[in-house]
Amino acid sequence: MQSCNITNNHLKDVMDNLISYLEKEEEAPADLLLNFVFELKVSNLLIPAIQEDDSLSFERLESDDDDSAFIPLFTDIEEYNKHVNEDFGYEPLTFDFETYKELVMENDFEGIMINIEGNFMPVDREFLNDMFFEVDTGESEDYEVYGPEKLKEIFETVTNDSLVEFIRDEENNTDIEKLYVELSNSTLLNITVSDDSLDEFAEDGIIDGDDVDGFNLCCFEDDDIRFGAVFTDAQSLKNVAKSDEDYSYYGQVTVLSALFDYILRNDMDGVVINPTTDDYFIARSDILPQASGIEVVIDDPGLENALEYSFIL
């Protein structure tokens, strides 16, 4: 049996809801179909394949009725193992969903089949083609990209008073549109984590990601909920980032759109602002439109290189 840690639990939930409508031959609600599209776009589906250099060999499902063929994909290793055994000679590989769409289009497949041995979902080539569309972001104006010293200054001094006031007002709990405005006008912080201390790589408290092979986002779990965390100021971050014997923690200026993308593509449940104090939860469903290039939040373009640096706490 093969093993890997890929999950697509949110996609499976949407599929189950959608399949229930299809089985009853009822029209699915538009928002359910839209969520299905969004979840597909950020999925990490498994494909039975062998990759050698630039060549990819993979299984194809042939129809008994006609000459059409589908590519089999799976949401997790349990679904994969229902169909694929070691005799197939394939390995469970994963690619971004746009790669699967291109495989369908370039090789004249009829579409994809998700979880063929389980609660399966066929997705035809026309649907796949219509899922992807160009988003016009307009022409960017000239702007200054902040260097590491400026980013460190932001990290140490930012307070986000307006956002703090917003999240502490219970009347704003359901005002998602206003939340997006507040987030777009804020500069938030996040924690990075390392198995080993990175202090020796720091210069003036700044660690360059090129010197440490990049940074790992610190994520959190509470029962069955997995979430990312952002902070409105350095002190709120430091109150949570307490180094222990197993891990070392550092601070970073957040690129919020990138963090949202990370949350979605890693099948997480959402983001919490200031955990342990404000505990303001932003659900996955509220950031899911980010998957289609819709600007849920607008980042400060000066933060373009922010994820390349972390800071000693």
Side-chain angles (χ1 to χ4, degrees):
M1 299 287 282
Q2 305 275 7
S3 63
C4 68
N5 58 3
I6 295 295
T7 65
N8 290 277
N9 294 326
H10 295 90
L11 173 61
K12 288 183 74 173
D13 288 343
V14 175
M15 283 174 50
D16 288 344
N17 288 335
L18 193 54
I19 289 170
S20 69
Y21 283 93
L22 297 177
E23 290 177 340
K24 294 182 290 187
E25 297 184 353
E26 296 179 1
E27 184 176 351
D31 60 343
L32 179 59
L33 284 170
L34 195 58
N35 278 346
F36 178 59
V37 168
F38 289 163
E39 289 290 358
L40 271 181
K41 286 188 173 185
V42 295
S43 63
N44 292 291
L45 297 172
L46 297 169
I47 182 172
I50 299 173
Q51 188 171 31
E52 296 179 352
D53 299 323
D54 295 330
S55 174
L56 183 69
S57 302
F58 54 90
E59 184 187 3
R60 53 187 292 144
L61 298 173
E62 304 283 353
S63 172
D64 294 332
D65 300 326
D66 52 39
D67 295 332
S68 62
F70 287 78
I71 298 176
L73 300 175
F74 303 90
T75 55
D76 50 63
I77 198 63
E78 289 75 21
E79 294 290 346
Y80 180 95
N81 284 330
K82 290 178 185 179
H83 178 71
V84 182
N85 59 51
E86 293 180 359
D87 294 336
F88 278 57
Y90 293 118
E91 296 181 0
L93 304 180
T94 184
F95 300 93
D96 62 76
F97 193 78
E98 190 158 3
T99 298
Y100 295 132
K101 179 246 184 179
E102 291 172 356
L103 286 176
V104 169
M105 299 303 171
E106 293 174 2
N107 295 279
D108 203 29
F109 284 94
E110 183 60 30
I112 62 172
M113 189 75 72
I114 305 175
N115 293 347
I116 184 63
E117 305 294 343
N119 204 10
F120 70 90
M121 171 70 74
V123 184
D124 64 34
R125 61 185 294 117
E126 182 179 359
F127 188 91
L128 291 173
N129 192 54
D130 291 343
M131 278 177 56
F132 291 85
F133 51 87
E134 295 295 326
V135 178
D136 183 11
T137 57
E139 293 294 329
S140 298
E141 298 180 0
D142 291 336
Y143 57 88
E144 174 192 359
V145 177
Y146 305 140
E149 291 78 14
K150 176 64 175 178
L151 291 168
K152 182 187 177 188
E153 179 186 345
I154 292 172
F155 176 81
E156 293 174 339
T157 61
V158 71
T159 58
N160 293 295
D161 294 336
S162 178
L163 176 61
V164 170
E165 182 179 354
F166 176 86
I167 64 177
R168 291 178 180 175
D169 186 343
E170 294 184 359
E171 293 184 2
N172 295 325
N173 283 350
T174 59
D175 195 339
I176 299 302
E177 294 301 323
K178 190 172 181 181
L179 171 65
Y180 294 157
V181 173
E182 288 290 339
L183 291 174
S184 296
N185 291 326
S186 303
T187 302
L188 297 172
L189 313 176
N190 62 265
I191 302 172
T192 59
V193 60
S194 174
D195 292 338
D196 303 307
S197 173
L198 305 178
D199 292 14
E200 64 182 286
F201 298 98
E203 294 186 14
D204 296 325
I206 302 169
I207 304 169
D208 189 325
D210 288 340
D211 296 332
V212 295
D213 295 325
F215 301 106
N216 296 314
L217 181 70
C218 182
C219 299
F220 299 79
E221 292 190 20
D222 185 2
D223 294 329
D224 294 330
I225 304 297
R226 297 172 58 240
F227 57 91
V230 290
F231 301 85
T232 55
D233 60 273
Q235 188 56 54
S236 296
L237 182 149
K238 292 175 182 178
N239 290 341
V240 173
K242 298 177 180 178
S243 295
D244 54 43
E245 294 181 357
D246 298 320
Y247 302 103
S248 297
Y249 299 97
Y250 301 90
Q252 189 174 60
V253 179
T254 301
V255 179
L256 205 52
S257 61
L259 182 135
F260 282 175
D261 189 67
Y262 181 92
I263 296 298
L264 296 173
R265 294 186 184 279
N266 286 275
D267 204 28
M268 299 171 68
D269 297 290
V271 180
V272 173
I273 302 176
N274 292 345
T276 74
T277 53
D278 296 301
D279 282 320
Y280 187 93
F281 185 68
I282 308 174
R284 178 185 180 90
S285 58
D286 291 328
I287 63 176
L288 196 52
Q290 192 87 27
S292 282
I294 299 171
E295 287 188 321
V296 171
V297 293
I298 301 173
D299 292 311
D300 177 352
L303 298 176
E304 183 177 307
N305 296 332
L307 301 185
E308 298 179 13
Y309 303 96
S310 281
F311 310 105
I312 298 286
L313 300 180

